[in-house]
Amino acid sequence: MKIGIIGLGFVGLSFASVLASKGYSVIGVDTDKEKLEKIKNGVMPFYEPKLQSILRKSLKNGLKVSSSISGVEKCSLIFVTVGTPQKINGEIDLTMVKNVTNKIGKVLSKTRHKPIIIIKSTVIPGTTHGVILPILQRISGKKVGKDFGLVTNPEFLRETMAVNDTLYPHVVVLGGDNNTFLKKVRRFYSNLHHNIPIVLTNYGTAEIIKYANNSFLATKISFINQIASICEEIPDANIDDVARTIGLDPRIGNLFLDAGPGYGGSCLPKDIKAIINFSDKIGVDSTLLRTVERRNKQQINNLSKLVKQCFIEKIKGKKITVLGIAFKPETDDIRDSVGIGLVKRLLKLGAKITIHDPKALENARKIFRDKVKYQKSITSALKDCQCAIIMTGWKQYEKINNETIKHMTSKFIIDTRRIISNKNLNAKYFAIGLGQKL
C-alpha cells in the first residue's frame, strides 16, 4: 500500500516519518523546497523531541518527499495535512485546503485508481461535505463513494509528544459514509494501532469532535487560572495543592490543571476563535467559550500589573529578563505564545528586554530583531536585570538559585509556573496562584 501525505508541517511530517519508520511506503508532498531539502538530509525544519531520529530511520526505510502532487497518483491513501491559519475575525482560512483539493481533483481525473482522500487538517463542521467534496467531484469528473473515497480524520497531536501520540493515539476518529472506503481506512488504522478505540461517524460530527476536544481543554486551563487568581488573595493558599486534589476526582482528572500565564500554541487559541466564529454564523450563543477566551487574555493583564508592582516608578527604562518564550517547554514554537505577547507589551511601556529560551531564540529573533537582547545562558540573561519573569516551565529554570541571581541589579522574580517556589531566594518573589505568606 502506497501512502501520500500532502503538507509536511508538524502533523504531516510526524505522521509521514512514523509510518515510513514502520515500513509503510510513504511519499510526502510540500511546496516549501527549502524545507524539503532539510527533510531529505534528515534535518528537522522545527524542533520536536524524538522526531529527528524517527525521520532519519524513515529515510533509510525509503521515505520520499516531493514538491509535486503528481507523486501521490498511485497512492491508495492520500492524507491532507496542510494548515488552516486564522483570519483576523477568527475564521479559519481554507486557501491551502482548497488549493490542495483542486490539485487532488486533477490527479483523480487522470488515474484509474480509486484512492481515499483523508482530511487531517482541522476544518470547521461542514467543510468536508460542503467545500472539499464538491471541488473533488467537479474537478475530477468522478463520484465519491464510487470512484474515490473521502474521510474526515482529525488529529490530536500534542507538540513535544508528536511521536508518542502518533504511535499511541488515545482515539482515532473517522467521519464519512459507511462504505467500503471507510472500512478500508478503519482496517488501516486497526493494523497500525492495536487496542485503540476507533470512532466511526459522519463528516460533521468528526469535524466538531476536534473543536469540542480543544475547547474543553482550554476551558480547564482558564478555570484553573481563575482559581489561581483567587488563591493569590488567600494567605498561604497554593494552587498546586488545589489542582492536585481536585484532579484526583475521576470526574475532573489531573490533566490541563497547571495554572500559568494562559494557554498558547498553534491549536487552542485558534480553535477557540474558530468555533466562536462558527457559532456566530449559525446563530448559537457561545457565552461560555467567549468567557474562556476572555479569561485567558486576562492572564497577561494580571502579569503586567504584577510587573508594575515590582517598580514604584514607571517601567520605562527598566531592564527586564523574560525566561522562556516558547509557548511550552521542549518546543521552539512561539505561535500565540503568551511570552511573546508579554514582551510586546513591555516594549510598548519602554522596558529594556532580554530573552532567554533553550530552543526558541531564533524564532523570537524573527519577530523582535534588534528590539531586544538574546542570551544563551541563564546567568548572562539575568546579569544587571531588575526583574526576571519565568514564563515557560523549562527544567533548566528549576536550577535557579542565589548564585544564579547574584548579579541582578534589583532582585524581583515573577514565576508564572511556580517552579522555584521552594527555593530560599534572596529576592522578592511573586508567583501565579500562591497567596502571600502570613
Side-chain angles (χ1 to χ4, degrees):
M1 176 190 291
K2 291 186 177 181
I3 299 172
I5 298 176
I6 304 173
L8 295 178
F10 173 68
V11 174
L13 185 55
S14 300
F15 196 51
S17 299
V18 168
L19 288 182
S21 72
K22 293 176 75 67
Y24 288 88
S25 176
V26 180
I27 179 168
V29 179
D30 200 284
T31 56
D32 188 334
K33 293 183 179 180
E34 184 179 344
K35 181 197 293 183
L36 291 178
E37 275 304 307
K38 287 184 177 180
I39 294 171
K40 286 178 183 177
N41 293 315
V43 177
M44 286 292 299
F46 52 86
Y47 177 73
E48 173 65 29
K50 299 181 182 180
L51 191 51
Q52 176 108 9
S53 59
I54 295 290
L55 171 60
R56 290 176 176 172
K57 181 180 178 181
S58 71
L59 289 168
K60 290 180 181 178
N61 279 9
L63 171 65
K64 296 179 180 179
V65 295
S66 172
S67 60
S68 174
I69 205 163
S70 61
V72 304
E73 184 177 352
K74 295 182 180 180
C75 291
S76 301
L77 304 179
I78 302 173
F79 290 89
V80 176
T81 56
V82 296
T84 51
Q86 197 98 55
K87 293 182 180 179
I88 295 175
N89 65 353
E91 183 182 1
I92 62 170
D93 187 345
L94 290 174
T95 301
M96 286 188 277
V97 170
K98 289 179 179 178
N99 287 342
V100 166
T101 303
N102 270 279
K103 291 177 181 178
I104 294 175
K106 292 176 182 177
V107 170
L108 283 174
S109 69
K110 298 174 183 178
T111 183
R112 294 181 180 179
H113 291 279
K114 296 184 178 182
I116 307 172
I117 293 87
I118 303 162
I119 309 301
K120 271 192 168 295
S121 300
T122 301
V123 294
I124 60 169
T127 302
T128 305
H129 187 267
V131 179
I132 296 172
L133 176 54
I135 293 174
L136 288 173
Q137 292 193 139
R138 176 171 52 83
I139 300 295
S140 70
K142 296 184 176 181
K143 188 173 178 59
V144 68
K146 177 183 176 184
D147 304 307
F148 66 92
L150 180 62
V151 174
T152 304
N153 175 214
E155 54 78 25
F156 301 94
L157 294 192
R158 296 168 292 175
E159 289 194 49
T160 74
M161 296 291 288
V163 173
N164 186 75
D165 288 350
T166 303
L167 287 169
Y168 312 106
H170 70 279
V171 68
V172 172
V173 178
L174 302 177
D177 295 327
N178 189 16
N179 53 27
T180 56
F181 293 107
L182 186 66
K183 290 174 183 177
K184 284 181 181 178
V185 180
R186 180 182 186 177
R187 196 177 309 123
F188 163 76
Y189 274 115
S190 295
N191 292 332
L192 179 62
H193 309 300
H194 301 293
N195 302 318
I196 298 296
I198 298 178
V199 175
L200 300 182
T201 184
N202 53 57
Y203 295 126
T205 304
E207 290 162 335
I208 192 62
I209 284 172
K210 174 62 182 287
Y211 284 101
N213 191 92
N214 280 354
S215 295
F216 188 75
L217 297 180
T219 300
K220 290 186 75 173
I221 294 171
S222 285
F223 168 80
I224 202 64
N225 281 335
Q226 176 69 77
I227 301 300
S229 294
I230 296 172
C231 285
E232 290 167 20
E233 302 303 320
I234 304 173
D236 279 340
N238 188 316
I239 187 59
D240 290 324
D241 289 344
V242 174
R244 191 180 305 113
T245 305
I246 66 174
L248 294 173
D249 188 328
R251 297 169 298 174
I252 297 174
N254 62 358
L255 297 178
F256 285 79
L257 288 179
D258 295 321
Y263 59 75
S266 63
C267 290
L268 298 191
K270 180 172 82 77
D271 289 353
I272 281 284
K273 287 183 175 68
I275 196 63
I276 290 173
N277 178 271
F278 177 72
S279 298
D280 290 343
K281 286 184 176 180
I282 61 175
V284 174
D285 188 347
S286 56
T287 301
L288 174 60
L289 297 178
R290 289 183 186 278
T291 303
V292 168
E293 185 183 41
R294 186 167 61 250
R295 187 63 190 77
N296 193 61
K297 291 178 179 177
Q298 183 62 38
Q299 285 301 94
I300 196 169
N301 295 331
N302 294 345
L303 270 176
S304 297
K305 290 178 183 177
L306 209 49
V307 175
K308 290 176 181 177
Q309 289 176 19
C310 291
F311 305 108
I312 298 175
E313 313 111 274
K314 293 181 179 180
I315 291 177
K316 185 176 182 180
K318 295 296 188 293
K319 295 180 179 179
I320 300 175
T321 295
V322 175
L323 298 174
I325 205 74
F327 87 95
K328 65 187 289 191
E330 297 302 326
T331 182
D332 61 356
D333 195 345
I334 59 174
R335 287 175 290 179
D336 272 311
S337 163
V338 184
I340 293 291
L342 179 65
V343 170
K344 287 179 178 179
R345 186 169 294 201
L346 293 176
L347 286 174
K348 282 186 178 179
L349 294 172
K352 297 179 179 179
I353 305 296
T354 297
I355 295 174
H356 174 274
D357 191 285
K359 294 294 180 182
L361 282 187
E362 289 309 308
N363 285 338
R365 199 186 300 272
K366 294 174 185 176
I367 293 178
F368 298 114
R369 301 188 183 279
D370 59 355
K371 294 179 182 178
V372 306
K373 292 182 178 179
Y374 310 89
Q375 292 291 347
K376 293 185 178 180
S377 80
I378 299 172
T379 304
S380 298
L382 293 176
K383 185 179 180 182
D384 298 328
C385 86
Q386 295 162 285
C387 176
I389 308 171
I390 301 174
M391 290 296 292
T392 311
W394 287 98
K395 284 194 171 295
Q396 290 90 325
Y397 300 148
E398 296 176 8
K399 299 177 182 179
I400 291 175
N401 54 31
N402 285 321
E403 182 66 21
T404 316
I405 67 172
K406 71 178 182 181
H407 293 301
M408 290 178 66
T409 304
S410 299
K411 295 181 174 60
F412 291 108
I413 298 176
I414 298 172
D415 184 357
T416 70
R417 305 291 181 175
R418 299 166 304 286
I419 59 178
I420 54 172
S421 61
N422 62 345
K423 300 287 182 72
N424 186 22
L425 297 175
N426 297 323
K428 289 187 177 180
Y429 179 82
F430 305 89
I432 286 178
L434 298 185
Q436 295 300 306
K437 296 291 184 182
L438 285 171

